[in-house]
Amino acid sequence: MSMTITFLGHSGFLLSDGTWTVAIDPFLTGNPRAVHKPEEITCTHIALTHGHADHMGDTVALAQANDATVIGAFEIANFVAEQGVKSTEPGNPGGKIELPFGWIAFTQAFHSSSFQGRYMGMPCGLVISLGGEVFYHAGDTGLFSDMTLIGEIYKPSVAALPIGDRYTMGPELATRAAEMIKPRTAIPIHYGTFPPLVQSAEKFTPQGVDVRELKPGDSWIVS
Ligand code: NI
Ligand code: MN
Protein backbone atom coordinates (compact mmCIF):
# COMPACT_ATOMS: atom_id res chain seq x y z
CA MET A 1 0.00 0.00 0.00
CA SER A 2 1.27 3.44 -0.83
CA MET A 3 0.12 6.90 -1.76
CA THR A 4 1.67 8.67 -4.73
CA ILE A 5 1.41 12.44 -4.39
CA THR A 6 1.73 14.57 -7.51
CA PHE A 7 1.78 18.35 -7.06
CA LEU A 8 -0.22 20.23 -9.70
CA GLY A 9 0.93 23.66 -8.50
CA HIS A 10 -0.76 26.21 -6.19
CA SER A 11 -3.02 24.02 -3.98
CA GLY A 12 -3.60 21.21 -6.45
CA PHE A 13 -2.63 17.56 -6.06
CA LEU A 14 -3.25 14.11 -7.41
CA LEU A 15 -3.26 11.35 -4.78
CA SER A 16 -3.17 7.83 -6.17
CA ASP A 17 -2.98 4.28 -4.81
CA GLY A 18 -2.57 2.87 -8.33
CA THR A 19 -6.29 2.10 -8.70
CA TRP A 20 -8.06 5.22 -7.48
CA THR A 21 -6.87 8.77 -8.07
CA VAL A 22 -8.20 11.81 -6.22
CA ALA A 23 -7.53 15.23 -7.73
CA ILE A 24 -7.60 18.02 -5.14
CA ASP A 25 -8.29 21.65 -6.15
CA PRO A 26 -7.24 21.09 -9.80
CA PHE A 27 -6.45 24.65 -10.94
CA LEU A 28 -4.57 24.25 -14.24
CA THR A 29 -6.10 26.60 -16.82
CA GLY A 30 -4.90 30.11 -15.93
CA ASN A 31 -2.34 28.85 -13.43
CA PRO A 32 0.98 30.34 -14.61
CA ARG A 33 3.01 27.63 -12.83
CA ALA A 34 1.01 24.54 -13.82
CA VAL A 35 2.86 22.05 -16.00
CA HIS A 36 -0.08 19.70 -16.69
CA LYS A 37 -2.77 20.33 -19.25
CA PRO A 38 -6.27 19.36 -18.12
CA GLU A 39 -6.42 16.65 -20.79
CA GLU A 40 -3.33 14.98 -19.24
CA ILE A 41 -5.12 14.43 -15.93
CA THR A 42 -6.68 11.06 -15.18
CA CYS A 43 -8.71 10.81 -11.98
CA THR A 44 -11.63 8.93 -10.45
CA HIS A 45 -12.53 11.57 -7.85
CA ILE A 46 -12.12 15.34 -7.48
CA ALA A 47 -12.14 16.82 -3.97
CA LEU A 48 -12.53 20.56 -3.43
CA THR A 49 -11.65 22.63 -0.38
CA HIS A 50 -13.77 25.63 -1.38
CA GLY A 51 -15.29 27.47 -4.30
CA HIS A 52 -12.69 30.09 -5.20
CA ALA A 53 -11.61 30.03 -8.84
CA ASP A 54 -7.99 29.11 -7.98
CA HIS A 55 -9.34 25.89 -6.42
CA MET A 56 -12.43 24.99 -8.51
CA GLY A 57 -10.17 25.44 -11.53
CA ASP A 58 -10.85 22.81 -14.18
CA THR A 59 -13.15 20.71 -11.99
CA VAL A 60 -16.21 20.56 -14.25
CA ALA A 61 -14.25 19.71 -17.41
CA LEU A 62 -12.14 17.11 -15.60
CA ALA A 63 -15.18 15.51 -13.96
CA GLN A 64 -16.90 15.19 -17.32
CA ALA A 65 -13.81 13.93 -19.18
CA ASN A 66 -13.03 11.30 -16.49
CA ASP A 67 -16.56 10.47 -15.27
CA ALA A 68 -15.19 11.46 -11.87
CA THR A 69 -17.16 12.01 -8.67
CA VAL A 70 -16.86 15.53 -7.21
CA ILE A 71 -16.58 15.76 -3.41
CA GLY A 72 -17.10 19.14 -1.78
CA ALA A 73 -19.32 21.37 0.31
CA PHE A 74 -23.08 20.93 -0.22
CA GLU A 75 -23.35 24.18 -2.21
CA ILE A 76 -20.38 23.29 -4.44
CA ALA A 77 -21.86 19.85 -5.16
CA ASN A 78 -25.15 21.50 -6.18
CA PHE A 79 -23.32 24.00 -8.38
CA VAL A 80 -21.23 21.45 -10.29
CA ALA A 81 -24.29 19.23 -10.71
CA GLU A 82 -26.05 22.18 -12.39
CA GLN A 83 -22.99 22.45 -14.68
CA GLY A 84 -23.50 18.84 -15.80
CA VAL A 85 -21.40 16.81 -13.35
CA LYS A 86 -23.25 13.51 -12.91
CA SER A 87 -21.76 12.18 -9.67
CA THR A 88 -21.29 14.24 -6.50
CA GLU A 89 -20.66 13.56 -2.81
CA PRO A 90 -21.67 16.63 -0.77
CA GLY A 91 -20.45 17.20 2.77
CA ASN A 92 -19.66 19.81 5.40
CA PRO A 93 -17.18 20.29 8.25
CA GLY A 94 -17.19 17.47 10.79
CA GLY A 95 -18.49 14.95 8.28
CA LYS A 96 -16.72 11.95 6.78
CA ILE A 97 -17.60 10.13 3.57
CA GLU A 98 -16.69 6.48 2.97
CA LEU A 99 -15.36 6.02 -0.57
CA PRO A 100 -14.05 3.01 -2.53
CA PHE A 101 -10.41 3.86 -1.72
CA GLY A 102 -10.94 4.86 1.93
CA TRP A 103 -12.58 8.03 3.18
CA ILE A 104 -12.55 11.82 3.07
CA ALA A 105 -13.35 13.95 6.13
CA PHE A 106 -14.17 17.66 6.01
CA THR A 107 -12.57 19.96 8.58
CA GLN A 108 -13.15 23.63 9.21
CA ALA A 109 -11.06 26.29 7.49
CA PHE A 110 -11.12 30.01 8.29
CA HIS A 111 -11.63 31.62 4.90
CA SER A 112 -14.50 32.48 2.50
CA SER A 113 -16.02 30.57 -0.39
CA SER A 114 -17.76 31.94 -3.45
CA PHE A 115 -17.64 31.50 -7.22
CA GLN A 116 -18.78 34.08 -9.77
CA GLY A 117 -20.57 35.94 -6.97
CA ARG A 118 -22.44 32.86 -5.72
CA TYR A 119 -22.12 31.52 -2.17
CA MET A 120 -20.32 28.18 -2.18
CA GLY A 121 -20.88 27.07 1.40
CA MET A 122 -18.31 26.69 4.14
CA PRO A 123 -14.64 26.59 3.14
CA CYS A 124 -13.14 23.31 4.28
CA GLY A 125 -9.95 21.40 4.89
CA LEU A 126 -9.89 17.80 3.67
CA VAL A 127 -8.48 14.73 5.38
CA ILE A 128 -8.04 11.90 2.88
CA SER A 129 -7.29 8.26 3.69
CA LEU A 130 -5.94 6.45 0.63
CA GLY A 131 -3.23 3.83 0.04
CA GLY A 132 -2.74 3.29 3.79
CA GLU A 133 -1.74 6.93 4.38
CA VAL A 134 -3.63 9.95 5.69
CA PHE A 135 -3.20 13.29 3.93
CA TYR A 136 -4.49 16.55 5.44
CA HIS A 137 -5.04 19.38 2.96
CA ALA A 138 -5.78 22.49 5.02
CA GLY A 139 -7.38 24.36 2.11
CA ASP A 140 -7.12 28.14 2.32
CA THR A 141 -7.15 29.02 6.01
CA GLY A 142 -5.83 31.11 8.81
CA LEU A 143 -4.26 29.48 11.85
CA PHE A 144 -6.65 27.95 14.38
CA SER A 145 -5.82 26.05 17.55
CA ASP A 146 -8.09 23.09 16.70
CA MET A 147 -5.43 22.10 14.18
CA THR A 148 -3.99 20.31 17.22
CA LEU A 149 -7.19 18.24 17.40
CA ILE A 150 -7.06 17.48 13.68
CA GLY A 151 -3.55 16.11 14.27
CA GLU A 152 -4.64 14.06 17.28
CA ILE A 153 -7.78 12.64 15.70
CA TYR A 154 -6.64 11.86 12.15
CA LYS A 155 -2.85 11.48 12.67
CA PRO A 156 -2.01 12.57 9.12
CA SER A 157 1.37 11.42 7.83
CA VAL A 158 1.42 14.34 5.39
CA ALA A 159 -0.05 17.84 5.74
CA ALA A 160 -0.32 20.36 2.89
CA LEU A 161 -0.42 23.85 4.40
CA PRO A 162 -0.89 27.25 2.73
CA ILE A 163 2.04 29.60 3.38
CA GLY A 164 1.39 32.39 0.85
CA ASP A 165 0.11 34.99 3.36
CA ARG A 166 -2.50 37.71 2.60
CA TYR A 167 -5.41 35.29 1.97
CA THR A 168 -4.13 32.46 4.19
CA MET A 169 -1.47 31.81 6.79
CA GLY A 170 1.98 33.09 5.92
CA PRO A 171 5.08 30.97 6.53
CA GLU A 172 5.48 31.92 10.20
CA LEU A 173 1.90 30.97 11.16
CA ALA A 174 2.03 27.89 8.93
CA THR A 175 5.16 26.87 10.86
CA ARG A 176 3.07 26.99 14.05
CA ALA A 177 0.31 25.03 12.30
CA ALA A 178 2.70 22.24 11.27
CA GLU A 179 4.07 22.04 14.82
CA MET A 180 0.49 21.63 16.14
CA ILE A 181 -0.60 19.04 13.55
CA LYS A 182 2.65 17.05 13.84
CA PRO A 183 2.61 15.21 10.50
CA ARG A 184 5.78 13.37 9.46
CA THR A 185 6.00 15.64 6.43
CA ALA A 186 4.58 19.08 5.62
CA ILE A 187 4.22 20.33 2.05
CA PRO A 188 3.98 24.12 1.60
CA ILE A 189 1.27 25.22 -0.84
CA HIS A 190 -0.55 28.36 -2.09
CA TYR A 191 2.62 30.43 -2.55
CA GLY A 192 4.67 31.65 -5.50
CA THR A 193 1.80 31.35 -7.99
CA PHE A 194 1.05 35.06 -8.29
CA PRO A 195 2.96 38.20 -7.24
CA PRO A 196 0.94 39.12 -4.11
CA LEU A 197 1.70 35.75 -2.49
CA VAL A 198 4.91 34.95 -0.61
CA GLN A 199 7.36 33.68 -3.24
CA SER A 200 9.51 31.25 -1.25
CA ALA A 201 9.15 28.65 1.50
CA GLU A 202 12.40 29.61 3.28
CA LYS A 203 10.57 30.90 6.37
CA PHE A 204 8.46 27.74 6.69
CA THR A 205 10.61 25.96 9.27
CA PRO A 206 8.58 23.75 11.65
CA GLN A 207 10.55 21.92 14.33
CA GLY A 208 10.21 18.12 14.28
CA VAL A 209 8.47 18.01 10.88
CA ASP A 210 10.14 17.28 7.53
CA VAL A 211 9.40 19.99 5.00
CA ARG A 212 9.10 18.74 1.43
CA GLU A 213 8.86 21.44 -1.22
CA LEU A 214 7.33 20.01 -4.37
CA LYS A 215 7.59 21.81 -7.70
CA PRO A 216 4.59 21.63 -10.02
CA GLY A 217 4.81 18.27 -11.76
CA ASP A 218 6.84 16.59 -8.97
CA SER A 219 5.66 13.22 -7.64
CA TRP A 220 6.53 11.62 -4.35
CA ILE A 221 5.61 8.13 -3.13
CA VAL A 222 4.70 8.01 0.58
CA SER A 223 4.99 4.51 2.02
NI1 NI B 1 -9.55 30.89 -1.44
MN1 MN C 1 -6.86 30.30 -2.86
Side-chain angles (χ1 to χ4, degrees):
M1 295 267 276
S2 68
M3 174 192 281
T4 300
I5 296 175
T6 301
F7 187 46
L8 300 177
H10 201 53
S11 290
F13 289 94
L14 298 176
L15 307 183
S16 185
D17 64 2
T19 303
W20 305 96
T21 300
V22 181
I24 306 170
D25 289 359
F27 167 49
L28 302 170
T29 303
N31 176 347
R33 301 211 45 218
V35 299
H36 295 86
K37 293 193 176 68
E39 25 326 338
E40 294 166 346
I41 302 294
T42 302
C43 60
T44 56
H45 296 77
I46 301 169
L48 298 173
T49 60
H50 65 295
H52 287 157
D54 58 321
H55 299 260
M56 291 270 269
D58 297 285
T59 293
V60 171
L62 282 180
Q64 287 177 326
N66 290 275
D67 250 329
T69 298
V70 175
I71 299 133
F74 174 76
E75 289 80 0
I76 291 179
N78 285 345
F79 175 75
V80 300
E82 287 168 24
Q83 304 293 308
V85 173
K86 292 203 180 65
S87 174
T88 62
E89 288 280 5
N92 243 327
K96 184 177 176 184
I97 300 173
E98 298 292 334
L99 291 158
F101 54 79
W103 46 262
I104 294 183
F106 296 90
T107 72
Q108 67 182 9
F110 282 95
H111 194 61
S112 57
S113 183
S114 58
F115 187 73
Q116 296 170 350
R118 175 164 159 178
Y119 174 63
M120 284 289 148
M122 285 282 283
C124 296
L126 301 168
V127 187
I128 301 178
S129 170
L130 174 145
E133 303 289 338
V134 175
F135 181 97
Y136 170 43
H137 189 301
D140 280 1
T141 187
L143 182 66
F144 55 92
S145 59
D146 280 358
M147 285 179 172
T148 303
L149 268 182
I150 292 170
E152 288 174 9
I153 292 168
Y154 297 110
K155 299 178 175 59
S157 44
V158 181
L161 302 173
I163 68 156
D165 221 332
R166 183 179 289 262
Y167 301 110
T168 69
M169 300 183 283
E172 296 88 353
L173 295 184
T175 293
R176 295 288 299 271
E179 290 170 354
M180 290 195 294
I181 298 158
K182 296 183 170 45
R184 280 204 309 274
T185 305
I187 302 173
I189 60 172
H190 210 271
Y191 72 103
T193 317
F194 306 110
L197 300 181
V198 167
Q199 294 296 303
S200 111
E202 65 184 354
K203 291 185 180 156
F204 180 56
T205 54
Q207 297 292 303
V209 177
D210 292 333
V211 171
R212 184 173 280 258
E213 267 188 78
L214 297 178
K215 291 190 189 62
D218 282 354
S219 285
W220 169 45
I221 301 173
V222 189
S223 56

mmCIF file of all heavy atoms in Angstrom, residues 18 30 66 79 86-87 91 103 110 117 121 128 132 144 154 161 175 179 185 204 217:
data_model
loop_
_atom_site.group_PDB
_atom_site.id
_atom_site.type_symbol
_atom_site.label_atom_id
_atom_site.label_comp_id
_atom_site.label_asym_id
_atom_site.label_seq_id
_atom_site.Cartn_x
_atom_site.Cartn_y
_atom_site.Cartn_z
ATOM 1 N N GLY A 18 -2.766 3.748 -7.177
ATOM 2 C CA GLY A 18 -2.569 2.866 -8.330
ATOM 3 C C GLY A 18 -3.883 2.437 -8.964
ATOM 4 O O GLY A 18 -3.915 2.076 -10.146
ATOM 5 N N GLY A 30 -5.081 28.802 -16.566
ATOM 6 C CA GLY A 30 -4.902 30.110 -15.931
ATOM 7 C C GLY A 30 -3.902 30.104 -14.794
ATOM 8 O O GLY A 30 -3.619 31.148 -14.212
ATOM 9 N N ASN A 66 -13.463 12.524 -17.199
ATOM 10 C CA ASN A 66 -13.031 11.304 -16.490
ATOM 11 C C ASN A 66 -14.185 10.544 -15.850
ATOM 12 O O ASN A 66 -13.956 9.529 -15.207
ATOM 13 C CB ASN A 66 -12.030 11.670 -15.394
ATOM 14 C CG ASN A 66 -10.691 12.116 -15.933
ATOM 15 O OD1 ASN A 66 -9.834 11.297 -16.217
ATOM 16 N ND2 ASN A 66 -10.516 13.413 -16.110
ATOM 17 N N PHE A 79 -23.749 23.159 -7.258
ATOM 18 C CA PHE A 79 -23.321 23.996 -8.381
ATOM 19 C C PHE A 79 -22.755 23.151 -9.518
ATOM 20 O O PHE A 79 -23.141 23.311 -10.673
ATOM 21 C CB PHE A 79 -22.289 25.027 -7.905
ATOM 22 C CG PHE A 79 -21.713 25.858 -9.010
ATOM 23 C CD1 PHE A 79 -22.451 26.869 -9.595
ATOM 24 C CD2 PHE A 79 -20.426 25.615 -9.477
ATOM 25 C CE1 PHE A 79 -21.916 27.634 -10.641
ATOM 26 C CE2 PHE A 79 -19.893 26.378 -10.516
ATOM 27 C CZ PHE A 79 -20.637 27.386 -11.093
ATOM 28 N N LYS A 86 -22.219 14.515 -13.193
ATOM 29 C CA LYS A 86 -23.250 13.508 -12.915
ATOM 30 C C LYS A 86 -23.158 12.928 -11.511
ATOM 31 O O LYS A 86 -24.150 12.487 -10.948
ATOM 32 C CB LYS A 86 -23.136 12.373 -13.940
ATOM 33 C CG LYS A 86 -23.520 12.840 -15.341
ATOM 34 C CD LYS A 86 -23.948 11.665 -16.215
ATOM 35 C CE LYS A 86 -24.338 12.139 -17.600
ATOM 36 N NZ LYS A 86 -23.171 12.716 -18.341
ATOM 37 N N SER A 87 -21.942 12.858 -10.958
ATOM 38 C CA SER A 87 -21.763 12.183 -9.667
ATOM 39 C C SER A 87 -21.139 13.141 -8.660
ATOM 40 O O SER A 87 -20.054 13.682 -8.911
ATOM 41 C CB SER A 87 -20.873 10.954 -9.870
ATOM 42 O OG SER A 87 -20.568 10.366 -8.627
ATOM 43 N N GLY A 91 -20.727 17.331 1.343
ATOM 44 C CA GLY A 91 -20.449 17.201 2.769
ATOM 45 C C GLY A 91 -20.334 18.568 3.409
ATOM 46 O O GLY A 91 -20.657 19.584 2.793
ATOM 47 N N TRP A 103 -11.591 7.030 2.774
ATOM 48 C CA TRP A 103 -12.579 8.033 3.180
ATOM 49 C C TRP A 103 -12.008 9.436 3.026
ATOM 50 O O TRP A 103 -10.784 9.619 2.901
ATOM 51 C CB TRP A 103 -13.046 7.820 4.623
ATOM 52 C CG TRP A 103 -11.964 7.568 5.640
ATOM 53 C CD1 TRP A 103 -11.555 6.343 6.112
ATOM 54 C CD2 TRP A 103 -11.131 8.545 6.293
ATOM 55 N NE1 TRP A 103 -10.527 6.507 7.009
ATOM 56 C CE2 TRP A 103 -10.243 7.838 7.153
ATOM 57 C CE3 TRP A 103 -11.035 9.931 6.240
ATOM 58 C CZ2 TRP A 103 -9.289 8.489 7.944
ATOM 59 C CZ3 TRP A 103 -10.077 10.589 7.033
ATOM 60 C CH2 TRP A 103 -9.224 9.866 7.875
ATOM 61 N N PHE A 110 -10.689 28.616 8.106
ATOM 62 C CA PHE A 110 -11.116 30.012 8.290
ATOM 63 C C PHE A 110 -10.783 30.790 7.030
ATOM 64 O O PHE A 110 -9.635 31.143 6.776
ATOM 65 C CB PHE A 110 -10.453 30.626 9.524
ATOM 66 C CG PHE A 110 -11.116 30.175 10.781
ATOM 67 C CD1 PHE A 110 -10.644 29.099 11.497
ATOM 68 C CD2 PHE A 110 -12.271 30.817 11.213
ATOM 69 C CE1 PHE A 110 -11.283 28.658 12.643
ATOM 70 C CE2 PHE A 110 -12.925 30.385 12.358
ATOM 71 C CZ PHE A 110 -12.427 29.307 13.076
ATOM 72 N N GLY A 117 -19.605 35.213 -7.775
ATOM 73 C CA GLY A 117 -20.572 35.936 -6.965
ATOM 74 C C GLY A 117 -21.558 35.074 -6.205
ATOM 75 O O GLY A 117 -22.393 35.588 -5.455
ATOM 76 N N GLY A 121 -20.891 27.846 0.162
ATOM 77 C CA GLY A 121 -20.884 27.069 1.404
ATOM 78 C C GLY A 121 -19.645 27.353 2.231
ATOM 79 O O GLY A 121 -18.885 28.286 1.980
ATOM 80 N N ILE A 128 -7.811 12.963 3.856
ATOM 81 C CA ILE A 128 -8.044 11.902 2.879
ATOM 82 C C ILE A 128 -7.239 10.670 3.261
ATOM 83 O O ILE A 128 -6.011 10.735 3.413
ATOM 84 C CB ILE A 128 -7.655 12.383 1.466
ATOM 85 C CG1 ILE A 128 -8.496 13.624 1.116
ATOM 86 C CG2 ILE A 128 -7.839 11.264 0.439
ATOM 87 C CD1 ILE A 128 -8.181 14.235 -0.234
ATOM 88 N N GLY A 132 -3.322 3.551 2.470
ATOM 89 C CA GLY A 132 -2.745 3.291 3.786
ATOM 90 C C GLY A 132 -2.122 4.517 4.427
ATOM 91 O O GLY A 132 -1.500 4.415 5.485
ATOM 92 N N PHE A 144 -5.673 28.128 13.305
ATOM 93 C CA PHE A 144 -6.649 27.946 14.381
ATOM 94 C C PHE A 144 -6.159 26.818 15.286
ATOM 95 O O PHE A 144 -5.531 25.866 14.825
ATOM 96 C CB PHE A 144 -8.060 27.682 13.836
ATOM 97 C CG PHE A 144 -8.195 26.532 12.878
ATOM 98 C CD1 PHE A 144 -8.515 25.262 13.315
ATOM 99 C CD2 PHE A 144 -7.998 26.731 11.513
ATOM 100 C CE1 PHE A 144 -8.649 24.205 12.428
ATOM 101 C CE2 PHE A 144 -8.129 25.676 10.616
ATOM 102 C CZ PHE A 144 -8.463 24.415 11.080
ATOM 103 N N TYR A 154 -6.862 12.520 13.441
ATOM 104 C CA TYR A 154 -6.641 11.857 12.152
ATOM 105 C C TYR A 154 -5.199 11.381 11.959
ATOM 106 O O TYR A 154 -4.936 10.591 11.053
ATOM 107 C CB TYR A 154 -7.037 12.792 11.006
ATOM 108 C CG TYR A 154 -8.505 13.150 11.002
ATOM 109 C CD1 TYR A 154 -8.936 14.438 11.323
ATOM 110 C CD2 TYR A 154 -9.474 12.195 10.698
ATOM 111 C CE1 TYR A 154 -10.283 14.776 11.325
ATOM 112 C CE2 TYR A 154 -10.829 12.515 10.702
ATOM 113 C CZ TYR A 154 -11.216 13.816 11.015
ATOM 114 O OH TYR A 154 -12.552 14.128 11.023
ATOM 115 N N LEU A 161 -0.020 22.641 3.669
ATOM 116 C CA LEU A 161 -0.418 23.852 4.396
ATOM 117 C C LEU A 161 -0.138 25.097 3.563
ATOM 118 O O LEU A 161 0.969 25.251 3.025
ATOM 119 C CB LEU A 161 0.372 23.947 5.711
ATOM 120 C CG LEU A 161 0.195 22.759 6.651
ATOM 121 C CD1 LEU A 161 1.154 22.892 7.834
ATOM 122 C CD2 LEU A 161 -1.247 22.686 7.141
ATOM 123 N N THR A 175 4.171 27.605 10.053
ATOM 124 C CA THR A 175 5.157 26.865 10.855
ATOM 125 C C THR A 175 4.512 26.423 12.164
ATOM 126 O O THR A 175 4.640 25.260 12.581
ATOM 127 C CB THR A 175 6.391 27.754 11.109
ATOM 128 O OG1 THR A 175 7.053 27.976 9.857
ATOM 129 C CG2 THR A 175 7.354 27.119 12.091
ATOM 130 N N GLU A 179 3.620 22.524 13.509
ATOM 131 C CA GLU A 179 4.066 22.041 14.822
ATOM 132 C C GLU A 179 2.892 21.563 15.662
ATOM 133 O O GLU A 179 3.039 20.699 16.525
ATOM 134 C CB GLU A 179 4.862 23.146 15.527
ATOM 135 C CG GLU A 179 6.222 23.363 14.841
ATOM 136 C CD GLU A 179 6.966 24.601 15.341
ATOM 137 O OE1 GLU A 179 6.393 25.374 16.141
ATOM 138 O OE2 GLU A 179 8.122 24.780 14.907
ATOM 139 N N THR A 185 5.530 14.751 7.496
ATOM 140 C CA THR A 185 5.995 15.643 6.428
ATOM 141 C C THR A 185 4.976 16.746 6.183
ATOM 142 O O THR A 185 3.773 16.482 6.171
ATOM 143 C CB THR A 185 6.188 14.838 5.124
ATOM 144 O OG1 THR A 185 7.058 13.739 5.380
ATOM 145 C CG2 THR A 185 6.764 15.697 4.004
ATOM 146 N N PHE A 204 9.323 28.825 6.197
ATOM 147 C CA PHE A 204 8.464 27.741 6.694
ATOM 148 C C PHE A 204 9.388 26.684 7.292
ATOM 149 O O PHE A 204 9.991 25.881 6.584
ATOM 150 C CB PHE A 204 7.638 27.183 5.538
ATOM 151 C CG PHE A 204 6.714 26.069 5.915
ATOM 152 C CD1 PHE A 204 5.765 26.222 6.927
ATOM 153 C CD2 PHE A 204 6.771 24.845 5.251
ATOM 154 C CE1 PHE A 204 4.905 25.194 7.261
ATOM 155 C CE2 PHE A 204 5.909 23.807 5.577
ATOM 156 C CZ PHE A 204 4.975 23.984 6.584
ATOM 157 N N GLY A 217 4.405 19.418 -10.944
ATOM 158 C CA GLY A 217 4.814 18.265 -11.757
ATOM 159 C C GLY A 217 5.578 17.217 -10.975
ATOM 160 O O GLY A 217 5.691 16.075 -11.419
#
